[in-house]
Amino acid sequence: AAKSESNFSINSPVLAITAMKVKAVNTVTNVQITATKLDAIPRDVVSAAPGVVNQYLTIDKINVSAADIEKVTFDFKIEKSWIGSNNINESTISLYRYVNDKWNKLETTKVSDDSTTIYYQAISPGLSVFAVAGETKVVPGVQPSPEEKPTVKPTEKFVESVKKDSWKIIIIVVSVIAIIVVIYLLKKSN
């Protein structure tokens, strides 16, 4: 069987993926690939991707089956501002593929960078749902500080709040009673 290769250039301001090269085992024609940014984890995905996720994507295909695909090479980019604001170790950025109810970390390589963006390349054995993610930086010898335990329990805060505002409640109750008495007296006098 003859092998074929299809290149797809993606010029989208919302997608992390900038290009795909699909290498097929068999000759395929009229191949159509659609890359879609997802706002959340798809319903049929049972867990979030590892690390801090920059973007979830789904890649749909027409006129090519999973059995036809030998490998897919993805070019993708990550903004340095996202890496900085999320305290990500840029060497941990990877493309993950969701298959058989689990996330598989794909072989990912940093290709280049410029003043605002880092460019990566990853190789996948097929197409499906993907996530671009990275791990947060770990500072050696520094333990994350344990969360401070509140000195006042939430139920105590509620009781304290009610005690603090009890005079307001008393005024409201007295006002309602006064209005009812006035209405009663006005009706009785008519």
Side-chain angles (χ1 to χ4, degrees), residues 103-119:
W103 289 100
N104 298 292
K105 185 176 183 177
L106 301 176
E107 178 187 331
T108 304
T109 308
K110 179 181 172 183
V111 176
S112 66
D113 66 294
D114 59 31
S115 62
T116 60
T117 309
I118 301 178
Y119 301 90

Side-chain angles (χ1 to χ4, degrees), residues 115-133:
S115 62
T116 60
T117 309
I118 301 178
Y119 301 90
Y120 296 88
Q121 191 171 75
I123 297 171
S124 174
L127 298 171
S128 61
V129 175
F130 293 88
V132 176

